[in-house]
Structures are given as C-alpha cells and as structure tokens.
Amino acid sequence: WGTRRLLTTKMDKSEFLSAIVTRGDIENTITATGTVTAAFEEQLNAPVATQIKEVFLISGTEVKPGDRILELNPTFIKLQYESTADELELRRNNITKLSLEFDKNIKDLDYDSQIQSLQIAGMKAALQDAQRLKKIGGATLEDVERAQLNLEVAKLQKKKLENELSYRRSVVESDRANLELELQIQEKEVSQLRQKLKQTTVSAPRAGVITWVNESIGRQVNEGDPLVRIANLDRFRINASASDRYSDQIAVGLPVRARVGQQQLAGTITTILPAVENNTVEFIVELDNPSAETLKPNMRVEVYIITDKKEDVLLVKNGAAFRGAKKQFVFQIQGEKAVRKTIEPGLTNRDFVEITGNNFQEGDRLIISDMKDFEHAQEISL
C-alpha cells in the first residue's frame, strides 16, 4: 500500500484530460437509439386467395399513382364474378316475374270485390221485390227472410274480400321491399367481386418508393396477405428504443433531439409502445422538420430524450470521472498539483455535467479522466 501510494501520487499532464468550469444552460437527457423510417407507409394486401402471376417492379423503385407493380392470377375470382353476375341477372328476372304475379293477384281481388258489390246491389233489389210481393200476397215471410239472409251473407263476403285486398296490398309492398333488399345485397356482392377482380392487377395508389414487394412468382397467397409496401420518402419519423430502467421517465410529449451526422433535429415523443421487449421500451418520435435532407430510410441515429432543463448554471464537460453517483470526488488543478474535492453532479447529458454546491466556481479546471487509481490520494503532483 505504501509503495502504491508513493508511485501514484505523481502524474504526468499528458496522462489525463481536463476541462474548465463554465456557465450556461444544460438539459438532462436519456440516451436512446433510433432508426429513421418513412412517416407514412401503405401496405397493399391480396384481395383474394390466388397465385402471384408476374412482378413488374422491385424494391427501391419510385412509383407514380397507377404504376403496375405486380399481377395476380385472376382465373378463380373471374369465374366467381361471372357466376354471381349471372345469379344476379336471374334474380332480377324472378323479381320482375313475382312483381307481375303480385299485381295480378291484387287486380283479381279488386275485380272480385267489384263483382261482390254488384251482387249485393242485385240482392238488395231482390229483397225489395220480396217485401213488395209479400204486401200483396205474392210472397211469404220465408221468402223475405231468405232474401234478407242472402244480402247479409253477401255483405260479409264483401268485407272479407276488402280485408283480404288490404292485407295483400300490405304484404305485397313488404315482399317487394324484401326482394329489392336482397337484390341490393347481391348487387353489392357483384360490385365487390368486380373490384377484387380489378385489384388482381396491383397498382400504386400514390407516389412513393417501394420498400418491399413479394417477388415469389407462382406462390400461393391467401386473402389479406401483404404484397407490397409503399413509403412516402418526403417525410420521416424515428422509431426509437431505450433501456427499460428509464420507462418511468419516458412520457408522451417530451422533447427530443436526434443527432443525424453533424446535424441535430428536434422532435417530440408522440407514441410509446405498450410492450417491453428485450429490456427496452420503444417509442415513436415525430420530427419538427420531417423533410430534412440528411434523413435517409433505415438510418441509425442517436436520440436524446430531454427530461429536464436548467439555465445559467455551472457546467463542465462530461468525462469518465463522472460515474453517475449523487456525491463523488474529483480533482481540481491548482498550479502544479491536483487537489481532491467533493462534487455533487446535477443534471447530466452526453456532453456536460452540472456542478452544484459551493466547492467550485467559473474558470476552475477539473480532471475529467477516470481517476479510480487515485481514490486514496488527497493531492497529486503534476
């Protein structure tokens, strides 16, 4: 221990890094990593279960609206469309036939009602004749009562016909509405099949760049399987991740700085993914300038989440001497010696450390290199 102490209380100035205490603003940041992705990416899926027939464009190709990308085998969906269209035409013919039958039945009932009205008029006249004949002795009471009974029966039959006519008219309207609804449903089905048939030729819905395309010609795909992804490379965002030990500090709305080469871009956390995987929490950063020229797809960038900020405080450049403890030692250079002093670091980021307490002032020079080998020393000769 004595030998080590004698050997390590002297140090050459070329063996360490130092920095001057300054005054300025500091941001407390959490370091994360991110990948630049397109702000908008559209995925085109298979409209039906079929095979990939031909691929016209590959990944990385710029496309304009309407450009053909690939073609699916349309045979099965074409047969299905034609069959459903024939069924629709047959249903239209049946509806027309049923409509004519409904109209005929209504008219027949109407005619029966009119005939019954005429029969009632005749029975009324017969009753009046029977009553007149009875007065002069030409008819009996039974004849009058029989004529009266026939008239009452005819009136009831008339009411029955009118009731049947009213019911049939209501039922006919309801049946006609049901038939029209069934027709509309089948027309929509035909329209959907027609649309799916058109979609067997997969075209770009908007301008962009193909980021992925299924190039397996002849491969069977199911309805809904992804076929093409098209991204808009005019606007970007960052998909980032940080250690889950910071999960309680990361929140939606926090400002972010992304270092892209020598440029720093500002942004904001807009979404935090709920699942924590591989001990990392993932989040999405929307940039203030999503169209910056330095942004490229799949570019890896450093992301700094700003959790706190202070203005006009004492700062020193960050280095290996600062190990994240709330209270630690650091060596201050005073002429030809370095004196051990206690420091209480405040906010910390990749570049600077805030100095709190009364042990230091602006202009002091501190050693920022790792000084673990001098933990026992109170003073070092330089």
Side-chain angles (χ1 to χ4, degrees):
W1 174 83
T3 303
R4 178 177 175 82
R5 181 176 182 184
L6 290 173
L7 291 174
T8 57
T9 53
K10 291 185 179 181
M11 190 175 185
D12 192 274
K13 292 181 180 180
S14 63
E15 297 178 6
F16 62 83
L17 296 174
S18 64
I20 296 176
V21 176
T22 60
R23 185 170 290 277
D25 303 338
I26 186 172
E27 298 171 337
N28 191 60
T29 60
I30 297 172
T31 303
T33 58
T35 303
V36 177
T37 61
F40 173 81
E41 186 175 61
E42 183 173 0
Q43 178 173 289
L44 305 180
N45 300 324
V48 293
T50 184
Q51 294 177 327
I52 298 176
K53 184 178 180 181
E54 191 170 356
V55 177
F56 304 110
L57 302 175
I58 60 174
S59 299
T61 306
E62 292 190 15
V63 292
K64 300 187 294 295
D67 286 351
R68 288 196 308 166
I69 301 173
L70 60 82
E71 185 174 353
L72 302 173
N73 189 339
T75 303
F76 175 75
I77 187 65
K78 186 177 181 180
L79 290 174
Q80 190 177 2
Y81 165 72
E82 292 175 349
S83 175
T84 307
D86 290 342
E87 291 177 4
L88 176 62
E89 191 61 32
L90 181 61
R91 183 178 290 274
R92 284 199 183 103
N93 293 336
N94 289 337
I95 288 176
T96 301
K97 180 181 177 182
L98 289 173
S99 181
L100 293 174
E101 289 180 358
F102 290 157
D103 292 341
K104 176 182 177 298
N105 292 336
I106 294 295
K107 288 181 179 180
D108 287 346
L109 286 173
D110 190 35
Y111 290 148
D112 289 343
S113 179
Q114 293 178 28
I115 292 171
Q116 191 68 23
S117 296
L118 295 175
Q119 289 177 346
I120 289 174
M123 290 179 181
K124 285 181 179 180
L127 176 60
Q128 292 173 356
D129 291 342
Q131 291 173 340
R132 190 168 46 252
L133 290 173
K134 180 178 176 296
K135 289 180 180 180
I136 62 175
T140 64
L141 179 61
E142 288 79 4
D143 293 333
V144 174
E145 290 177 348
R146 188 181 301 107
Q148 181 70 40
L149 180 61
N150 291 338
L151 178 60
E152 293 300 326
V153 170
K155 286 181 178 179
L156 290 175
Q157 289 178 341
K158 167 70 172 174
K159 289 183 178 180
K160 182 180 178 181
L161 282 173
E162 289 176 347
N163 183 58
E164 180 70 15
L165 181 60
S166 177
Y167 169 74
R168 287 292 181 89
R169 280 176 175 160
S170 300
V171 170
V172 164
E173 293 302 321
S174 176
D175 289 346
R176 184 175 282 120
N178 290 338
L179 291 173
E180 289 177 354
L181 182 59
E182 291 176 1
L183 184 64
Q184 290 175 7
I185 292 173
Q186 194 152 13
E187 285 175 343
K188 289 180 181 178
E189 184 178 353
V190 171
S191 178
Q192 290 174 353
L193 291 173
R194 185 189 303 114
Q195 184 66 21
K196 288 182 177 181
L197 183 59
K198 290 181 180 178
Q199 291 175 349
T200 55
T201 299
V202 181
S203 303
R206 64 185 75 248
V209 175
I210 299 174
T211 57
W212 176 83
V213 60
N214 190 338
E215 301 179 19
S216 303
I217 296 176
R219 180 180 177 181
Q220 182 74 25
V221 291
N222 297 318
E223 183 175 352
D225 284 354
L227 296 174
V228 181
R229 295 190 186 99
I230 299 176
N232 179 1
L233 298 187
D234 293 333
R235 296 173 61 86
F236 295 92
R237 68 182 185 186
I238 296 174
N239 292 343
S241 61
S243 173
D244 60 353
R245 64 180 177 177
Y246 301 118
S247 59
D248 58 336
Q249 302 180 50
I250 299 173
V252 172
L254 286 179
V256 167
R257 284 186 292 106
R259 180 168 293 179
V260 183
Q262 300 301 317
Q263 185 181 16
Q264 291 195 9
L265 299 176
T268 306
I269 296 177
T270 57
T271 305
I272 298 176
L273 303 185
V276 176
E277 297 181 359
N278 300 322
N279 298 322
T280 61
V281 57
E282 298 183 354
F283 53 94
I284 297 174
V285 176
E286 297 292 342
L287 297 170
D288 295 348
N289 181 16
S291 302
E293 294 181 358
T294 53
L295 295 172
K296 304 295 179 186
N298 300 319
M299 176 186 288
R300 301 285 293 179
V301 296
E302 293 178 345
V303 177
Y304 304 100
I305 307 168
I306 302 170
T307 59
D308 199 357
K309 184 176 181 179
K310 289 184 179 180
E311 298 179 352
D312 194 28
V313 295
L314 293 178
L315 306 174
V316 69
K317 190 175 181 181
N318 201 347
F322 304 102
R323 300 187 292 274
K326 292 183 178 180
K327 197 171 185 179
Q328 65 172 78
F329 74 89
V330 71
F331 284 93
Q332 179 187 357
I333 299 175
Q334 298 178 359
E336 296 301 318
K337 62 182 179 179
V339 180
R340 178 190 178 110
K341 286 191 176 182
T342 301
I343 186 173
E344 297 179 7
L347 299 186
T348 303
N349 60 31
R350 183 178 182 273
D351 299 317
F352 293 99
V353 175
E354 178 195 4
I355 298 175
T356 62
N358 300 319
N359 288 342
F360 301 95
Q361 60 184 0
E362 189 175 357
D364 289 345
R365 181 177 287 276
L366 307 182
I367 295 176
I368 61 174
S369 299
D370 187 359
M371 300 295 286
K372 286 190 298 183
D373 292 341
F374 299 89
E375 289 180 348
H376 62 281
Q378 297 297 319
E379 187 176 297
I380 303 173
S381 297
L382 304 178

